[in-house]
Amino acid sequence: MNEACAPPLADALRVAAHAWARLRAGTSLDRALEAARQATAAGPHPRLAAAAQDIAYTATRHLALIDAAIARLAARPPDAAVGALAAVALGQLVAQRHADYAVVDQAVAAAKADASTRAAAGFINALLRRWLRERDACLPELLRADEVRFNAPRWWLERVRAAHPQRADAVLDLQRRPPPLTLRVNRRRTTVAAYLDRLAQDGIAAEQVGAAAVRLRTPRPVDAIPGFAQGDVSVQDAGAQLAAQFLGARDGMRVLDACAAPGGKTAQLAELADIELDAVEIDRARAARIESNLARTAAHAHARIRVIVGDAAQPQSYAPAGGYDRILLDAPCTASGIVRRHPDIPWLRRPDDVAQLATLQSRLLEALWPVLSRAGRLLYVVCSVFPEEGERQARQFAACRADARAVPLTAGAEPFLQLLPDEVAQPWRGGTPTVHDGFFFALFEKT
Ligand SMILES: C[S@@+](CC[C@H](N)C(=O)[O-])C[C@H]1O[C@@H](n2cnc3c(N)ncnc32)[C@H](O)[C@@H]1O
């Protein structure tokens, strides 16, 4: 962020600290940030929300390290509000986003500005200064703990390792880092080559990483992405872009997007073919985001789209008489494949969630299969790397359904595709994207 137009760091630290306290009480980081912005009323600076978000996300990417550092540096655990401010300030020191003195000075100013932390301004000052004095010795020692090195609870690390023994450490290491910003080029409006030219003319470094996927070398806000407001491009991971491609909807087909919000794949489906599309979403607030995505990409010009707020597992309430030719089930899951976008996930999930979500996914699969027409295809997708939600789920479904044939998604022998998060250095030359998050895909045809 340009320092000249950045909000005071103390204000951003305060908002981020309020969000951190909510996160540690079990609220997702995005919801926590929204609530914190309202609660702190920290001033009307236009970039305050973005600055606080950056600080809170940075701290969350170092959550285990921050916890370990505070446990080491403080004589006794600080209360929640003080600990939160110390945590987000430590996150800035660890990530070296600003000069050390500026972080300490602004953290103390933030402490003094808030009644819940005022009395602890001296404590915060002392704790941060002690970190600066001791970090060279302290850091390598703290990083020896696996939870700190990979920033995830032990049970989470064990599950990833059990599922992917060969690739686990590479996956976990990648998931600690900030995510790439990948765009989907709207083929109704432009081509990848033309869009890359346009970026080059604007001096924006980018490369093609998938069939319609362009990765920007340096992330930027959506209002600074050429053509975003006009719907020429949308923000979507290159792995996520495979779903609509695998589904293979063609002109005139009736298509169901069963768990649709925020509508990234709904809009993409309308970009690929002239279809009749039902987008079902159980969460009313999230469903509103589908409409704004569709409006921005002018999706209604090509598809007859109904956005339906409801339970996808009750298709009798929304499915047309003849059923659907294509069903996309992008099911709710642990989101263990997109941790670099949502670093709070491993800290919010509980071990039991995996089995509970697997049950929900299976319920959705069972409920949707009857409304798939003969010779129709259903694509099951989760953004997870856990086999309980992916391969095991798909195998179990196929085993119980005599009328389901798994359609191979790649040239190899495997019927399903588990993509682990990756960033390949070589240029994209067709096929699987080179830069992507973690997803599981299974395509079933009704025989
Ligand atoms: C993985 S997200 C979908 C992402 C979306 N397909 C996209 O590409 O933008 C899963 C969505 O399913 C919704 N959901 C969960 N249970 C549902 C249900 N029973 N019926 C419909 N939607 C559901 C969640 O609210 C969430 O928005």
Side-chain angles (χ1 to χ4, degrees):
M1 189 180 299
N2 181 349
E3 294 289 332
C5 58
L9 181 55
D11 286 351
L13 285 168
R14 272 182 69 213
V15 180
H18 277 259
W20 179 271
R22 285 180 164 81
L23 167 72
R24 301 315 298 274
T27 305
S28 79
L29 190 50
D30 287 340
R31 280 187 191 193
L33 277 160
E34 188 52 49
R37 284 193 280 272
Q38 288 164 13
T40 46
H45 195 288
R47 301 216 75 89
L48 179 60
Q53 177 172 325
D54 186 53
I55 291 170
Y57 267 79
T58 299
T60 308
R61 288 200 167 88
H62 298 286
L63 186 148
L65 173 61
I66 288 169
D67 275 359
I70 292 179
R72 162 77 64 99
L73 302 175
R76 55 176 183 277
D79 74 32
V82 175
L85 184 55
V88 295
L90 267 174
Q92 292 297 286
L93 292 178
V94 169
Q96 304 197 317
R97 287 295 177 83
H98 303 272
D100 292 342
Y101 73 85
V103 175
V104 178
D105 175 69
Q106 291 294 292
V108 170
K112 288 180 179 166
D114 204 313
S116 62
T117 48
R118 195 164 298 139
F123 166 83
I124 286 179
N125 186 34
L127 184 125
L128 297 178
R129 286 182 189 282
R130 188 163 169 211
W131 169 256
L132 293 175
R133 280 197 309 275
E134 297 181 15
R135 68 179 161 195
D136 289 349
C138 203
L139 200 50
E141 200 182 311
L142 296 178
L143 283 170
R144 256 186 251 141
D146 245 9
E147 293 96 320
V148 174
R149 179 169 160 223
F150 292 120
N151 196 45
R154 178 157 296 281
W155 72 268
W156 184 276
L157 301 177
E158 284 167 0
R159 269 183 192 259
V160 177
R161 288 196 171 122
H164 308 287
Q166 314 291 334
R167 295 273 316 275
D169 282 15
V171 167
L172 291 165
D173 192 48
L174 194 68
Q175 294 215 318
R176 295 186 53 220
R177 304 200 207 144
L181 174 56
T182 306
L183 306 173
R184 177 186 79 243
V185 174
N186 183 348
R187 294 186 221 183
R188 300 248 188 209
R189 297 180 61 95
T190 182
T191 62
V192 169
Y195 188 68
L196 283 169
D197 278 351
R198 182 172 170 187
L199 292 177
Q201 277 165 26
D202 288 354
I204 300 172
E207 75 230 303
Q208 182 168 14
V209 295
V214 167
R215 178 230 190 134
L216 301 190
R217 278 292 163 95
T218 309
R220 48 177 50 219
V222 288
D223 56 13
I225 296 174
F228 177 84
Q230 298 75 32
D232 297 348
V233 288
S234 299
V235 175
Q236 190 182 41
D237 176 73
Q241 294 184 29
L242 290 175
Q245 294 170 28
F246 286 153
L247 192 66
R250 296 189 300 274
D251 288 354
M253 283 186 166
R254 284 162 309 172
V255 181
L256 170 65
D257 184 358
C259 290
K265 297 184 187 72
T266 321
Q268 185 187 12
L269 287 165
E271 286 167 19
L272 295 180
D274 295 353
I275 50 178
E276 283 180 35
L277 178 56
D278 284 350
V280 178
E281 168 58 45
I282 203 162
D283 181 326
R284 185 171 293 279
R286 283 175 63 80
R289 294 175 59 196
I290 304 176
E291 288 290 10
S292 63
N293 251 321
L294 296 179
R296 185 182 54 78
T297 54
H300 290 285
H302 310 289
R304 239 180 52 212
I305 307 175
R306 291 193 299 162
V307 175
I308 299 158
V309 179
D311 181 358
Q314 310 277 335
Q316 64 281 6
S317 67
Y318 61 80
Y324 296 99
D325 305 300
R326 295 284 184 270
I327 296 179
L328 172 62
L329 171 54
D330 188 10
C333 68
T334 54
S336 55
I338 55 170
V339 170
R340 55 182 174 168
R341 297 190 191 280
H342 299 284
D344 50 341
I345 284 171
W347 301 108
L348 294 172
R349 296 275 179 236
R350 297 287 164 260
D352 289 354
D353 292 349
V354 184
Q356 275 173 24
L357 284 158
T359 305
L360 173 60
Q361 292 148 8
S362 147
R363 190 169 70 88
L364 284 160
L365 270 168
E366 290 298 329
L368 292 172
W369 189 250
V371 290
L372 181 68
S373 60
R374 178 82 56 86
R377 289 182 169 190
L378 180 152
L379 184 76
Y380 171 73
V381 187
V382 280
C383 52
S384 176
V385 298
F386 294 147
E388 293 87 338
E389 304 179 276
E391 184 166 344
R392 216 170 289 166
Q393 181 77 267
R395 286 199 187 285
Q396 205 171 314
F397 177 74
C400 299
R401 286 280 167 188
D403 59 347
R405 177 182 77 89
V407 181
L409 293 167
T410 54
E414 285 300 313
F416 311 127
L417 176 62
Q418 174 71 70
L419 273 190
L420 296 178
D422 210 350
E423 280 204 42
V424 176
Q426 286 86 28
W428 181 75
R429 296 208 171 83
T432 307
T434 45
V435 177
H436 55 80
D437 291 336
F439 289 91
F440 174 84
F441 303 94
L443 183 62
F444 296 105
E445 186 171 82
K446 195 176 250 187
T447 55

